[in-house]
Amino acid sequence: MKKQDFRHPKEKEAMLAIQRNPLFGMLSETLSQVLVGTPALAESVARRFPVTRRSYPRLFDLYRDTLEKLDISEPYPLFLNFEYPLKAEARGYGKSCVLTLNGNNLDLLTEPQIQVLLAHELAHIQYDHLRYFSLFKALDTVGKYSISLLDTGLNALVSVFLDWMQAADYTADRVAAYVVGDRETVAEAIRLSMGTVPSIV
């Protein structure tokens, strides 16, 4: 069965605008070389706790269900990080990616809401968003050392990157809605991750 393409139309439009910028090719190639071998897994092992069937059975089963719904046969390692913000994070590059979920999610979110966070981050991996997120971060560093002749091109590239990043999140939210089968659950998870108190929603 062919995988569904959940990419938001605005993401495709914004990516074309990025690729038309003459600085994009140069920065993309340079960054790709830097990112190869990024020790995302090593860092996660050193600072976080691996999620396994034995360590966190509920979360492990929920993650497996999410992977199955997205037809991902080789799971990316999932780690639990004991921090408070209600969020998950994907890190790495290509096939060397890992996911981290903050432990507070287990106490404050429902299972479908946790699945929204997992699916959202898996979407960023599936659609190769992480590489472009890293490229955007690199633009800030490049901008600090650029000469005035580059400023116009960099500013134009940053502008279209901001459009793309928003659209990439739309794509990830679409994937999450597919996984949980409910748009309202996605909206509620987003509201809670932004600090909204459930009782006043």
Side-chain angles (χ1 to χ4, degrees), residues 1-19:
M1 184 177 74
K2 184 179 179 181
K3 288 186 179 180
Q4 295 187 56
D5 188 347
F6 291 99
R7 282 177 296 177
H8 195 281
K10 288 185 177 180
E11 180 186 341
K12 298 176 183 179
E13 294 172 10
M15 181 50 64
L16 287 175
I18 288 173
Q19 292 171 346

Side-chain angles (χ1 to χ4, degrees), residues 86 108-109 113 188 191-192 195-201:
L86 297 176
L108 299 179
L109 300 185
Q113 290 167 350
E188 178 69 3
R191 286 194 290 264
L192 291 172
T196 303
V197 179
S199 62
I200 62 172
V201 172

Side-chain angles (χ1 to χ4, degrees), residues 40 106 116 147 171 177 196:
L106 301 183
V116 165
I147 58 176
T171 293
T196 303

